[in-house]
Amino acid sequence: MMDGSDTPRNAANLVLLGPPGAGKGTQARMLEEQFGLVQLSTGDLLRAAVAAGTEAGRAAKAVMEAGDLVSDEIVIAILRDRLAEPDCAKGVILDGFPRTTVQAEALDGLLAEIGQGIRAAISLEVDDAAMVTRISGRYTCGGCGEGYHDTFKVPSKPGACDKCGGTEMKRRADDNAETVEQRLRAYHAQTAPLISYYESRGVLARVDAMAEIEAVARELNAIVAKAVA
Ligand code: ADP
Ligand code: ADP
Ligand code: ZN
C-alpha cells in the first residue's frame, strides 16, 4: 500500500521531518522549484490564520508562542482544506506536518481517499546544539517568504531579498532562545517517533542536515528524483 504503486504518476507526496531549524522550509522551497511540487507548511498556514484572526488562529496563537504543538484537530482541519485545493494534485512537500502519530495516521487516511500515499519521508538529522543558533539568526522576506540567516544565508545585497528585491524582512515571534527549548522538547516527545513510523512503512530516508545548505540540497535532490520517478 505504502510503496506508491497505486499512486498516480504525477502525484508524488513527500514528507520532510526534522526539528525546528533543521532546514525543512529552506529545502522545501528549493525542491518546489526543482520538481514542480507544492510546499505545504502548516506553520505558515497557522501564522496566516493568526494574522487573519480566524477562530483557529485565535486558538493557536498562545500555543505557538509557548513553543507547544497546536491541537491535532485544528492542524488536521487546516491541512485537509489546503490539500483539497487543485494545485496540490501535482504532489506536495509537507513541511512541518505531520508532527504527531495522530496526524500521520490522518494524513494516510486523507491520501488513501484519493488513491495516493507518501512516496518518501525524509528525516533531516541535526544536533540539538546547533538549533538555537539556526533559529535565533533566522529571518524571512516579507514580500516572497524567502528564508535567510544572519550568518548562514545572507542576501547578496545587504537588506534586499535575492528573489524579489523586497526590503521588508521579518522575524518570527517564537524564534527566541526560550521558546526553542520547548519546541525541541515537543519535537523529541511527539514528532521524533514518526521516524520509525515511516521506517516501518519502508519510505524513510535520512539526510545529514548539519552540512551546508547546498550539500543538503544535493543529497535531497537525489532522494527526491528517485521518489518521483
Ligand atoms: P525549519 O523550516 O526546519 O524550521 P529553516 O529552513 O527555516 O528550518 O532554517 C532555519 C534557519 O537556518 C534559517 O535561517 C536558514 O537560513 C538556516 N539554515 C537552513 N539550512 C541550513 C544549513 N544546512 N546550514 C546552516 N543554516 C541553515
Ligand atoms: P519550525 O519551522 O521552526 O519547525 P513551524 O513553522 O513548522 O516551525 O511551526 C511553528 C509552530 O506552529 C510550532 O511550534 C507549532 O506551535 C505550530 N505547528 C506547526 N505545524 C504544526 C503541526 N503539524 N502540529 C502542531 N503544531 C504545529
Ligand atoms: Zn523576497
Side-chain angles (χ1 to χ4, degrees):
M1 245 332 258
M2 294 307 298
D3 63 358
S5 55
D6 58 355
T7 304
R9 221 188 133 68
N10 60 351
N13 300 302
L14 311 170
V15 168
L16 288 187
L17 289 170
K24 302 181 295 298
T26 304
Q27 298 295 337
R29 287 176 70 92
M30 294 163 84
L31 290 171
E32 188 173 42
E33 273 181 30
Q34 189 90 10
F35 293 95
L37 302 166
V38 171
Q39 176 194 14
L40 224 158
S41 156
T42 44
D44 286 347
L45 294 171
L46 286 166
R47 281 183 288 280
V50 170
T54 65
E55 197 185 332
R58 287 197 301 276
K61 186 170 190 281
V63 179
M64 292 170 77
E65 279 172 6
D68 292 321
L69 294 187
V70 174
S71 75
D72 288 330
E73 198 190 351
I74 290 180
V75 178
I76 291 167
I78 285 185
L79 195 270
R80 182 192 298 122
D81 289 351
R82 180 65 185 91
L83 261 187
E85 286 174 34
D87 61 328
C88 291
K90 51 188 167 181
V92 295
I93 309 167
L94 292 159
D95 156 12
F97 184 98
R99 262 173 153 98
T100 65
T101 306
V102 171
Q103 292 177 18
E105 287 167 351
L107 174 64
D108 285 344
L110 283 173
L111 292 175
E113 278 172 23
I114 50 172
Q116 294 187 18
I118 296 297
R119 292 270 184 99
I122 307 162
S123 170
L124 301 183
E125 315 234 308
V126 288
D127 304 338
D128 277 8
M131 293 303 94
V132 177
T133 321
R134 283 222 190 150
I135 283 182
S136 43
R138 164 161 65 187
Y139 62 96
T140 306
C141 170
C144 72
E146 184 69 4
Y148 292 97
H149 190 279
D150 291 328
T151 312
F152 306 127
K153 188 180 166 190
V154 184
S156 49
K157 195 144 81 53
C161 175
D162 291 338
K163 286 272 147 82
C164 76
T167 54
E168 187 216 330
M169 299 292 178
K170 300 191 298 193
R171 288 185 195 257
R172 278 167 47 180
D174 60 341
D175 276 351
N176 56 69
E178 302 83 68
T179 305
V180 171
E181 296 294 334
Q182 182 53 30
R183 285 157 65 197
L184 283 172
R185 274 195 290 274
Y187 172 78
H188 289 294
Q190 293 170 275
T191 309
L194 295 182
I195 295 174
S196 25
Y197 179 95
Y198 287 113
E199 192 163 39
S200 71
R201 282 158 178 75
V203 293
L204 184 78
R206 297 173 193 266
V207 166
D208 172 15
M210 291 302 291
E212 286 182 6
I213 292 174
E214 293 302 332
V216 176
R218 280 194 296 276
E219 253 196 85
L220 271 171
N221 270 5
I223 292 167
V224 174
K226 268 195 204 154
V228 304

